[in-house]
Amino acid sequence: MAGIFVLHSQNRQKVPLLFDKSVNPRYSIEVKKQRGNLHEFQEKAPRPDVGSLLHGNVPFTVRRPAGRIHLSVPGQGVCQRPDRQHRADGCPCLCRGAPREEVYKKVMEDFDYAIEKLPVQWPSDKYGRITKGAAYAMKARAALYYADWEVAAKAAKAVIDSNQYELFDAEGTGRYAELFWESQEACSEAILIRQFNAPDNTNYIIGWECFPTKGWGGINPTQSLVDAFECIDGAPINKSSLYDETDPFTNRDPRLEVCVLHDGEEMYGTTIKVAPLKSSGNTGIAQHGDATATGYYQQKWLDPNIDPQSTGWDMGKDWHVIRFAEVLLTYAEAQNEIAGLDDSAFEAVNRVRRRAGIPELQKNDASKPTYCGTQDELRQRIRNEWRVEFALEGGKRQWDIRRWGIAKDVLNAPFLGLKYKLVDDPNAPAEDGGKKCILYQGENIKLTGSRYSDHNYVYPVPQSEIDLNPALTQNAGYE
């Protein structure tokens, strides 16, 4: 099995393995991202199945941003030059950028080996170790990125058919927010997790995410994200008679309230006010260094049982790297590409929608807003389901828009916040200078956006790597 040269050799990265106490007490290892060391790790791993899983996942994870990785061939080994300076005229090792197809083939081989060797489940006292289902799910994720629909659908279906996992609150009883609280870190939806154990290895997402001055303000949702959530009739907001632009959080997909903290809500004893006025306090637009720039705050993971100013910076809450909803949407997307409007694709995406409490997509009644009469209509609805179900979860969308080929359109579009207008009001508090704010009317906040070109599909090769290996070339567009 080929070894791997991973880019960014000067860095060290915590790679969560989550499977074997013989690695260390919290099941993680320090992987030095240096040439050949992952190959060495695979050979010395306490479990060869674990080594193969890492061996498959890391090149996929690295190639996705870098565009390529470097493979060593068994028998040729790693460059042994004392200064690790690879010769441009050839080395004992094979210092080359592997073609996309070759990388993908080896990634799939490693996943298959891990799938063969890993158990379906571990005993409860071995919580956190990786399972056969997790290996299948990781394989499905990689195949989806490479648009290998058959492999993605088959791997995702293997997870579904194993009956080892289920959506948390699958019947949609209104507990969806709890999925992101510490109490549900080991729920039935969790397929692959990254473990945290305070105080040795802590998760600080609540302290970082929470509004000022309870936290650092985190990520501010944009108007585009808020608008992506449907109304409760199952229609996009621009097609729903229920949508009221002046009261935009009424009659919406319940997941919107879980993800976005907005004006008038109370959290941690604070009533959120976002008007750009001094009377709004620290949570008002531009009223504090950590205040929202868009008029919205992030709410996912704000566990009401955890104090954001203390425990919120020092939690043991585990992170869901892959959850069952991802597998269902992977199957739905891949199966629709294989056979447009396939019944099983509808069922997979509708399991996610049922849990959220919104109407199911269907292909039989064109009079309803949930109707999908073509493969592309279902494709677009599934893509939006990816966006709202995994909103604000660890940068997933940046890879979705790349693999869908829409990153250039999405990232070059204006970045907008909510609408508001300031009007004169003789009864306004003196500190507000005779002004009051009317939210959801007027003009949208316009933010500095991003600039994305075709070559940004992949990242640049670090100059430090090119310095080490003159045979390396820079990715196109970054010369």
Side-chain angles (χ1 to χ4, degrees), residues 4 14 79 95 124 163 174 179 184 220 257 263 271 322 362 396 398:
I4 299 167
K14 273 279 191 181
C79 182
C95 303
S124 59
N163 295 317
L179 174 60
Q184 299 303 328
N220 303 154
E257 289 284 3
D263 187 82
T271 299
I322 300 180
Q362 47 84 30
K396 283 183 64 64
Q398 70 164 312

Side-chain angles (χ1 to χ4, degrees), residues 57-239:
N57 189 53
V58 169
F60 161 62
T61 304
V62 172
R63 190 199 185 283
R64 190 165 56 170
R68 54 198 162 119
I69 64 172
H70 291 248
L71 299 175
S72 66
V73 174
Q76 289 186 296
V78 180
C79 182
Q80 300 300 313
R81 291 174 60 83
D83 57 2
R84 293 196 297 118
Q85 291 286 343
H86 298 261
R87 297 197 306 270
D89 59 346
C91 273
C93 61
L94 185 61
C95 303
R96 61 181 176 83
R100 173 186 174 100
E101 295 76 16
E102 183 179 347
V103 173
Y104 180 67
K105 180 175 181 291
K106 295 188 184 302
V107 165
M108 292 296 110
E109 288 174 355
D110 289 334
F111 281 139
D112 287 341
Y113 182 83
I115 288 166
E116 177 187 354
K117 300 297 183 181
L118 285 164
V120 173
Q121 285 292 352
W122 292 91
S124 59
D125 64 337
K126 293 178 173 60
Y127 162 73
R129 296 190 184 186
I130 202 160
T131 62
K132 189 183 297 290
Y136 267 122
M138 293 170 75
K139 179 180 180 180
R141 176 185 282 186
L144 195 70
Y145 192 81
Y146 278 84
D148 189 344
W149 310 120
E150 295 282 353
V151 171
K154 185 176 179 181
K157 193 171 190 303
V159 180
I160 296 168
D161 291 347
S162 72
N163 295 317
Q164 296 296 312
Y165 309 97
E166 181 54 278
L167 295 174
F168 170 72
D169 193 29
E171 300 305 315
T173 64
R175 299 178 59 201
Y176 179 70
E178 297 175 35
L179 174 60
F180 307 100
W181 299 353
E182 191 164 22
S183 60
Q184 299 303 328
E185 63 183 2
C187 69
S188 61
E189 187 162 344
I191 295 177
L192 179 65
I193 56 103
R194 176 177 179 177
Q195 288 185 300
F196 291 90
N197 182 25
D200 300 322
N201 181 26
T202 60
N203 185 337
Y204 55 83
I205 190 169
I206 290 180
W208 174 80
E209 171 191 340
C210 197
F211 52 86
T213 56
K214 300 287 187 180
W216 280 9
I219 297 173
N220 303 154
T222 63
Q223 190 63 49
S224 175
L225 175 61
V226 172
D227 290 347
F229 290 83
E230 299 172 0
C231 286
I232 57 173
D233 59 358
I237 61 171
N238 61 348
K239 296 181 179 179

Side-chain angles (χ1 to χ4, degrees), residues 273-452:
K273 298 179 182 179
V274 302
L277 299 170
K278 289 185 178 181
S279 61
S280 294
N282 292 320
T283 60
I285 298 166
Q287 302 305 302
H288 185 277
D290 293 327
T292 177
T294 65
Y296 304 112
Y297 289 99
Q298 187 174 350
Q299 188 163 358
K300 244 180 188 177
W301 298 290
L302 291 188
D303 187 336
N305 302 302
I306 292 178
D307 178 6
Q309 294 177 294
S310 56
T311 316
W313 288 99
D314 196 32
M315 297 186 299
K317 181 194 179 324
D318 295 341
W319 178 267
H320 294 164
V321 177
I322 300 180
R323 51 189 181 90
F324 189 54
E326 175 179 332
V327 172
L328 291 171
L329 293 183
T330 295
Y331 180 81
E333 179 178 344
Q335 189 60 26
N336 182 56
E337 296 299 333
I338 295 167
L341 302 180
D342 186 79
D343 288 342
S344 64
F346 275 100
E347 174 56 22
V349 66
N350 283 334
R351 287 177 70 174
V352 178
R353 291 172 67 89
R354 280 197 295 268
R355 188 259 297 275
I358 53 176
E360 299 180 15
L361 301 176
Q362 47 84 30
K363 59 182 178 181
N364 299 315
D365 188 347
S367 68
K368 294 182 178 179
T370 53
Y371 177 71
C372 298
T374 68
Q375 180 187 45
D376 188 60
E377 286 177 340
L378 181 56
R379 177 186 294 125
Q380 299 308 321
R381 298 299 288 264
I382 291 171
R383 288 182 178 184
N384 196 67
E385 202 64 32
W386 275 111
R387 185 179 189 185
V388 298
E389 175 64 26
F390 289 95
L392 308 171
E393 289 190 40
K396 283 183 64 64
R397 181 162 167 79
Q398 70 164 312
W399 302 115
D400 285 340
I401 61 177
R402 279 175 165 85
R403 66 184 181 84
W404 293 331
I406 63 173
K408 192 172 181 179
D409 293 333
V410 171
L411 297 178
N412 288 329
F415 284 17
L416 303 177
L418 56 68
K419 291 181 178 180
Y420 75 85
K421 63 181 180 180
L422 296 175
V423 298
D424 294 332
D425 182 0
N427 298 316
E431 59 186 333
D432 292 339
K435 298 288 186 180
K436 75 172 181 179
C437 180
I438 302 176
L439 296 177
Y440 313 122
Q441 297 182 36
E443 298 295 323
N444 288 97
I445 298 170
K446 293 180 175 62
L447 306 169
T448 301
S450 60
R451 186 176 62 184
Y452 186 93

